[in-house]
Amino acid sequence: MNCYDCVLDGTIAPAVAVCSRCGSGACLNHVRVTAEHPHRVTGTGVATMPRTARRATCPTCYAAERT
């Protein structure tokens, strides 16, 4: 799989991650990795997990979530 954003720029680079939101491939230059606390559905008690998880997104989804 190739990086979607690189293809749009007219270059080809292998994807190293898949965007967790839209599913497009992202290379090392375009992938945005953030830490988030996973949530689980519970009746009562802790709903947020204590440790952070890694989430990879493409630049478009990253920007859309930050605004």
Side-chain angles (χ1 to χ4, degrees):
M1 178 188 285
N2 291 325
C3 174
Y4 181 72
D5 289 300
C6 283
V7 170
L8 293 178
D9 293 339
T11 61
I12 295 177
V16 296
V18 175
C19 178
S20 62
R21 297 295 184 202
C22 70
S24 66
C27 68
L28 281 174
N29 292 329
H30 287 114
V31 68
R32 304 293 182 257
V33 179
T34 56
E36 69 173 23
H37 288 279
H39 300 285
R40 64 176 163 185
V41 178
T42 60
T44 58
V46 177
T48 303
M49 306 301 284
R51 296 176 61 187
T52 57
R54 177 177 42 208
R55 184 166 60 107
T57 55
C58 68
T60 301
C61 292
Y62 178 81
E65 292 177 348
R66 299 292 177 229
T67 55

